[in-house]
């Protein structure tokens, strides 16, 4: 079954712009390998001296087939990508079904 997902990714606790850029590039490689790099925008942000990488789907969700198998592997791949840059960063990844009724039925909301 195909599912329309909204993806939100936050990587916090990066110590420099250079480290944040390295993390962004590592994450981009995963997203490119999944062929969703046109749908997920990554950016580096600095707030109060803390650097972070943010990733968001745009106006349209990402359509994923076999999401039950894809999502855990995608999360693992993102985590590994960030860990190649630093072990101290905090990674938060949300893959939310945009079909509210299906999400309620599945208990994912």
């Amino acid at each position: 079954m195909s599912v329309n997902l909204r993806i939100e990714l936050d990587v916090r606790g990066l110590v420099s712009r250079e480290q944040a850029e390295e993390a962004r590039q590592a994450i981009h490689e995963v997203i490119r390998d999944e062929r969703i790099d046109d749908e997920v925008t990554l950016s580096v942000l600095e707030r109060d001296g803390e650097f972070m990488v943010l990733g968001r789907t745009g106006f349209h969700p990402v359509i994923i087939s076999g999401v039950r198998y894809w999502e855990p592997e995608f999360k693992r791949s993102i985590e590994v990508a960030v860990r190649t840059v630093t072990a101290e960063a905090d990674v938060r990844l949300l893959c939310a079904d945009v079909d509210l009724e299906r999400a309620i039925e599945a208990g994912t909301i």
Side-chain angles (χ1 to χ4, degrees):
M1 171 169 64
S2 294
V3 175
N4 297 324
L5 294 179
R6 183 184 80 245
I7 296 175
E8 295 181 8
L9 169 68
D10 297 334
V11 179
R12 298 178 184 272
L14 301 164
V15 297
S16 67
R17 182 167 301 282
E18 292 78 18
Q19 189 180 60
E21 192 55 45
E22 283 181 54
R24 188 201 63 77
Q25 184 59 39
I27 294 164
H28 182 262
E29 289 176 18
V30 173
I31 290 171
R32 186 190 62 226
D33 290 347
E34 292 294 330
R35 296 187 173 117
I36 59 173
D37 53 322
D38 287 340
E39 290 91 359
V40 179
T41 302
L42 296 173
S43 58
V44 172
L45 181 68
E46 185 220 347
R47 187 177 297 148
D48 299 327
E50 178 190 5
F51 293 89
M52 59 192 88
V53 176
L54 302 177
R56 300 288 186 271
T57 48
F59 183 71
H60 299 287
V62 176
I63 301 170
I64 301 294
S65 295
V67 72
R68 183 174 19 169
Y69 305 105
W70 176 86
E71 186 177 354
E73 185 59 35
F74 180 64
K75 287 182 177 184
R76 252 188 310 280
S77 296
I78 293 291
E79 186 76 30
V80 167
V82 172
R83 296 296 167 234
T84 63
V85 176
T86 179
E88 285 79 37
D90 177 37
V91 179
R92 183 188 72 85
L93 177 62
L94 172 68
C95 298
D97 189 342
V98 297
D99 182 334
L100 185 58
E101 186 174 320
R102 184 174 47 232
I104 290 170
E105 288 175 6
T108 58
I109 190 167

